[in-house]
Amino acid sequence: AAPLADNFGFPDMLPMVPGSMAVALFTLMMFCFVTTSIGLFTRLSMIVSATLYWYFAMMDSVSTITKYSVILSHIFLILSLSHCGAVWSVDAWLARRKGIAEPFGMGTAPRFPIWPARLIQLFIGVVYLGAAVTKLHTPIFFSGDQLMYWMMTHMMAHAPLGDLLSQYPLLLSVFSYVTIVWEVAFIFCVWFPMLRLPMLVIGAVFHMMTAITLGLLVFPMVMISAYFS
């Protein structure tokens, strides 16, 4: 274990469980990921997933915790406070079977507060805006050097297209400026029906390109999944 809190002068902030218990808790977390995905005991599964995922990330600052760990933790928290599992889930299917809820197409469609979805939408936009502000303070990003060296080192995973694009630094510099403009514009443009689809499509292409050029595998899946909000 390599607790993140130790780096900030807070030793033993979280309890360090024995190895056997860590295995059991990690297995429980993976099980709750599955039950969350299918909507079985959805809220409980979401709360357990959020708590254990955050715990394991905080206890391993060397390899587990990443930028998408922070994003996932926030999304888990928001979803656990929402009406998760109310419509498309095993929970909802069982409720309809028991007559607790009306079947689809009968009566008035279920309505729920929109604020959890709005929070996720705002969160995505703020993440992009924060990323843009960080890049604005990184001159090496605009020259394309940062992307070029990242593509050449295969830090995350093997990315053949990255090797090819690293030979064209001018093109990488152009991509860098386009990325900044899109990240800043996202939170302002995605609310308009005419601009929403183009902004989301550009974002999906951008994240898929990071997978095949930089070797980022989990991060694109996290962000594209969040786009469904």
Side-chain angles (χ1 to χ4, degrees):
L4 181 67
D6 288 4
N7 299 338
F8 296 91
F10 296 99
D12 303 319
M13 188 184 85
L14 295 174
M16 190 180 299
V17 299
S20 56
M21 187 178 293
V23 172
L25 290 175
F26 206 91
T27 304
L28 175 62
M29 180 182 71
M30 298 300 292
F31 177 77
C32 287
F33 282 169
V34 175
T35 54
T36 295
S37 299
I38 65 175
L40 180 62
F41 306 113
T42 315
R43 189 184 304 279
L44 177 61
S45 298
M46 189 74 71
I47 292 172
V48 174
S49 298
T51 304
L52 290 179
Y53 181 77
W54 173 81
Y55 171 77
F56 282 118
M58 290 290 290
M59 295 301 288
D60 185 12
S61 61
V62 175
S63 58
T64 301
I65 194 166
T66 64
K67 293 177 181 178
Y68 65 75
S69 302
V70 181
I71 295 171
L72 273 177
S73 298
H74 281 76
I75 292 177
F76 272 142
L77 174 63
I78 296 170
L79 288 176
S80 65
L81 298 174
S82 70
H83 289 271
C84 51
V87 181
W88 300 107
S89 66
V90 173
D91 289 341
W93 176 72
L94 292 174
R96 290 192 294 273
R97 285 280 300 253
K98 296 175 182 177
I100 300 173
E102 290 186 350
F104 289 142
M106 301 290 290
T108 305
R111 294 177 179 270
F112 304 101
I114 195 65
W115 64 264
R118 288 284 183 261
L119 279 179
I120 294 177
Q121 294 163 3
L122 284 168
F123 179 66
I124 296 169
V126 169
V127 165
Y128 287 143
L129 189 61
V133 171
T134 303
K135 293 181 179 72
L136 286 171
H137 291 84
T138 311
I140 194 173
F141 176 79
F142 292 99
S143 66
D145 291 347
Q146 189 178 43
L147 283 174
M148 180 177 68
Y149 289 122
W150 192 351
M151 290 175 177
M152 293 169 62
T153 51
H154 298 179
M155 289 172 59
M156 304 300 177
H158 181 62
L161 187 58
D163 285 334
L164 177 64
L165 289 178
S166 65
Q167 302 175 45
Y168 302 93
L170 179 59
L171 186 60
L172 296 181
S173 181
V174 172
F175 285 160
S176 300
Y177 281 95
V178 171
T179 300
I180 284 285
V181 172
W182 172 76
E183 287 181 334
V184 171
F186 185 91
I187 195 170
F188 302 104
C189 297
V190 77
W191 308 101
F192 298 98
M194 287 184 60
L195 299 175
R196 182 177 300 131
L197 186 59
M199 295 302 290
L200 293 177
V201 169
I202 292 171
V205 172
F206 165 75
H207 284 294
M208 286 188 289
M209 286 295 292
T210 63
I212 60 179
T213 60
L214 301 175
L216 296 176
L217 302 178
V218 180
F219 189 78
M221 289 190 285
V222 170
M223 297 307 296
I224 293 174
S225 298
Y227 279 3
F228 284 99
S229 66

